[in-house]
Every structure is written in C-alpha cells, then in structure tokens.
Amino acid sequence: VLDSQYGMYVWPCAVILAQYLWAHRRSLPGKRVLEIGAGVSLPGVVAARCGAQVILSDSEELPRCLQSCRSSCLMNRLPHVPVLGLTWGRVSPELLSLAPIDIILGSDVFFDPKDFEDILTTIYFLLEKNPHAQFWTTYQVRSADWSIEALLCKWKLKSTHVPLHSFGADKEHLASSSLPGRHTIEMMIISLAQSEGT
C-alpha cells in the first residue's frame, strides 16, 4: 500500500518487527497477540501465519486504517482475524473486553511525541491485566530529543533493547524505504518493571 499517510504504508519498522517475529516463529503457535496501530498489519499478519491467535487494532477514528487491516487479512487468507478499533489513551468497551494476551506488537507507534503518553497508558493498562505479557516494538530514530524513558519510569515500565543483528535484521535492505532520509530502526521489549521476565 503506497499511501504514505500513517497507517496506509508499510513503514521500515514494520519490516523489522516482522523479521523479529519470523526469527521467533517457533514460539508463536498458540500465543495470543494484539497488534496496536496496525495499519497494513505486516507484523500481525506474520504472527498469524506463524500460528499465533492474533487481534489487529488501530484507532477507531481511522476507518481507512481499520479497513486496511481487514484487507491485509483477506489478502493473506486470514479472514477470521478480528480487527478492533482501539484508540490509544482511551478506555473503551473493546479495550476492557479484550481476552488475555501474551504479546503486544507495535511498529513505529512512537512517531508523534504528543501520542507517546497515550500509547504507554494503553500499554500499561494491558500489561496490568496481563502481567506476563510483553510489548514488542520497533521505532525509527527521528530526533535525539524524543525519548520515552521518563514516561516508562512514570508508568512503572521497563525496556530491554534488542540489537537488530541478534535476529538478522541489521541488513540494509530490510529497513530500506523509498522515502527520503535516514532510517535508523531500533527495537525494544517493554514489560512491567516489577515483572521477573524480560
């Protein structure tokens, strides 16, 4: 999908997160996975094709993104993958009624600093309900001034950096893009600070 409007484009971060899922595909069958800000849903589709029980979500205020999630599922022969409208920072009936989850996925959700706290509020809510779950996220380094460290501390969350070379994602072709500029991608796993697992 070549519309570069937020959730209508396969951003480089989605490719890197999909590579991480592929590298861990043997651990995915039976796992309950939620992708937030899914857009065209590449990571969620990969997880579903690897045997995970996936729910895709994007903002309830972005019907084109929700339709894009559904289209990706149909094109990949995954017609039964549910697509939910979940808006970051908002406690909705859909959020409250989510079944237990093991892994939350988010590629390039840390795009606009005004959304960072809403994203982490939602992640904290989900991790409190699912204390052993983890948030697997990739992000593009766009500014040295943008950081979520203070927000992680505020929401009692911890992050573990995942080096791209550890799962074969340090190859330039994986994070390439026709978009201008440098595309430095990072990956981290976020969990509750008091949680024993990483």
Side-chain angles (χ1 to χ4, degrees):
V1 177
L2 296 176
D3 179 345
S4 60
Q5 188 181 11
Y6 284 163
M8 305 300 289
Y9 183 84
V10 180
W11 295 93
C13 287
V15 178
I16 299 298
L17 188 53
Q19 174 74 11
Y20 187 78
L21 288 156
W22 181 249
H24 293 85
R25 63 191 174 276
R26 287 179 185 80
S27 69
L28 292 175
K31 287 281 196 286
R32 298 159 305 187
V33 174
L34 169 69
E35 183 175 4
I36 64 166
V40 294
S41 318
L42 178 62
V45 164
V46 170
R49 297 291 294 174
C50 290
Q53 300 169 27
V54 174
I55 297 171
L56 300 174
S57 73
D58 212 313
S59 173
E60 59 196 324
E61 297 161 5
L62 299 173
R64 284 183 67 203
C65 288
L66 293 170
Q67 187 52 47
S68 180
C69 291
R70 290 182 191 98
S71 296
S72 292
C73 290
L74 291 174
M75 286 186 282
N76 287 282
R77 298 184 305 279
L78 298 166
H80 303 298
V81 170
V83 175
L84 295 180
L86 295 178
T87 300
W88 301 327
R90 184 179 302 160
V91 177
S92 63
E94 291 79 11
L95 183 67
L96 291 170
S97 63
L98 272 177
I101 51 177
D102 302 304
I103 300 165
I104 307 159
L105 301 175
S107 67
D108 217 5
V109 294
F110 294 109
F111 178 84
D112 189 337
K114 74 175 175 47
D115 295 328
F116 289 4
E117 184 145 30
D118 284 343
I119 294 164
L120 289 175
T121 300
T122 299
I123 294 303
Y124 179 78
F125 176 85
L126 291 167
L127 292 178
E128 275 283 292
K129 275 184 70 174
N130 304 275
H132 299 293
Q134 297 178 332
F135 177 37
W136 297 0
T137 185
T138 49
Y139 61 97
Q140 184 172 327
V141 180
R142 292 184 172 87
S143 169
D145 299 332
W146 295 3
S147 173
I148 63 167
E149 290 305 316
L151 290 171
L152 289 173
C153 189
K154 175 181 177 178
W155 287 100
K156 298 179 178 57
L157 299 169
K158 66 177 179 181
S159 69
T160 303
H161 179 260
V162 180
L164 299 192
H165 69 82
S166 70
F167 58 99
D170 54 341
K171 314 292 184 275
E172 187 154 329
H173 70 278
L174 278 176
S176 65
S177 171
S178 59
L179 300 172
R182 207 165 138 263
H183 302 282
T184 302
I185 310 295
E186 300 287 341
M187 177 165 180
M188 64 181 155
I189 295 176
I190 295 175
S191 56
L192 292 176
Q194 70 270 22
S195 173
E196 294 301 310
T198 55

